[in-house]
Amino acid sequence: MSSQDIPEESLPTEQGHERGAVATREDPFADPGLPAHKPRIQDIDERAARRSERTVALLFTVSMLATVAFIASYVIFPVDKIVYIWPIGHISALNFALGTSLGIALFCIGAGAVHWARTLMSDVEVPDERHAVAAEPEVRAKVMADFKAGAEESGFGRRKLIRNTMFGAMAMVPLSGVMLLRDLGPLPEIKLRKTLWAKGKLLINMNTNEPLRPEDIAVGSLSFAKPEGLEEHDHGFQTEIAKAALMLIRIQPEEIKDKKELDWSVGGIVAYSKICTHVGCPISLYEQQTHHVLCPCHQSTFDLSDGARVIFGPAGHPLPQLQIGVNDEGYLEALGDFEVPVGPAFWERG
Ligand code: FES
């Protein structure tokens, strides 16, 4: 809408505040009205308005050219062409060209529209009075009468015993929420820092109950292991396996990006805690192409070729790695306990 289309009485004056009321003791919230409209350079100088017009047209033209470049990129760049671009590094030339050209095309449309609105479109503010929200007096009287009749029929005022016990019950219920705070404790203290893994403990296959050899772990497979000596019928088995459960994956050594991870592996076999570092669910889904493992509870995803770094989801820490080796008889063994606590984050974790 241009300022010519706006009724004269709606326009604020150049003096400002003249059409608004002044706050007084009786009416402290009086509407002060709109401030005076300050004309922009484009409103008073036709040459400045033309300059703005050319700028907007230029931005839209650049957007069109960028769209043409986007389409041309499909023809110019082969899908597998990789180029080095500082500071990004090595990247697909096609992806870079598509992303850049589309980004420029969209940015220029946005920038052109914003510049157009800020410099050439009318900036006169027009008040739009809000309708009264209060209902008609007759409607309000009827609602109050209905409410009183309902209260009378329910006996809420008369039956004080019921009313008071109801208030008591409603006041007591939130106390049960306070009791739930008990579930925040006790703190694990050192219990998650120590597991049954120790130097020389053999890795036992959870399915066959046999000690594992490196050749038992195939590339792309996911195996689960427990420490030697921990049997299912043992007292406290669930507590111990909940901390010590291990998963083993064999990755081609050249695909392991983390140097320490490689040093702690045996020919590409890496051993990680199976307990998710979010809230402790057992991890079980392995994607062999990407070496990602996924926790089924809240979808935390860890990259096992890069120190089990968290790449997605709410987990706050990488999965702890267990350093493993091969003993004289050719069996996989632990070379110590986990270096960091297993499982979820907790206050004392440090
Ligand atoms: S417990 Fe694994 S993502 Fe929540």
Side-chain angles (χ1 to χ4, degrees), residues 87-137:
I88 305 169
H90 287 95
I91 186 173
S92 155
L94 178 60
N95 284 353
F96 183 76
L98 293 178
T100 309
S101 54
L102 186 61
I104 292 172
L106 294 175
F107 173 81
C108 286
I109 289 179
V114 169
H115 195 61
W116 183 8
R118 287 180 62 90
T119 59
L120 296 172
M121 289 185 186
S122 169
D123 68 339
V124 175
E125 290 188 62
V126 182
D128 188 5
E129 297 298 338
R130 185 187 287 178
H131 300 295
V133 285
E136 299 295 323

Side-chain angles (χ1 to χ4, degrees), residues 275-283 294-302 312-315 344:
I275 311 303
C276 181
T277 55
H278 178 219
V279 289
C281 284
I283 290 170
L294 177 84
C295 175
C297 288
H298 314 100
Q299 282 71 54
S300 283
T301 308
F302 304 85
F312 179 78

Side-chain angles (χ1 to χ4, degrees), residues 211-225:
L212 282 159
R213 292 173 178 275
E215 51 272 27
D216 297 333
I217 317 285
V219 172
S221 69
L222 177 65
S223 307
F224 300 119

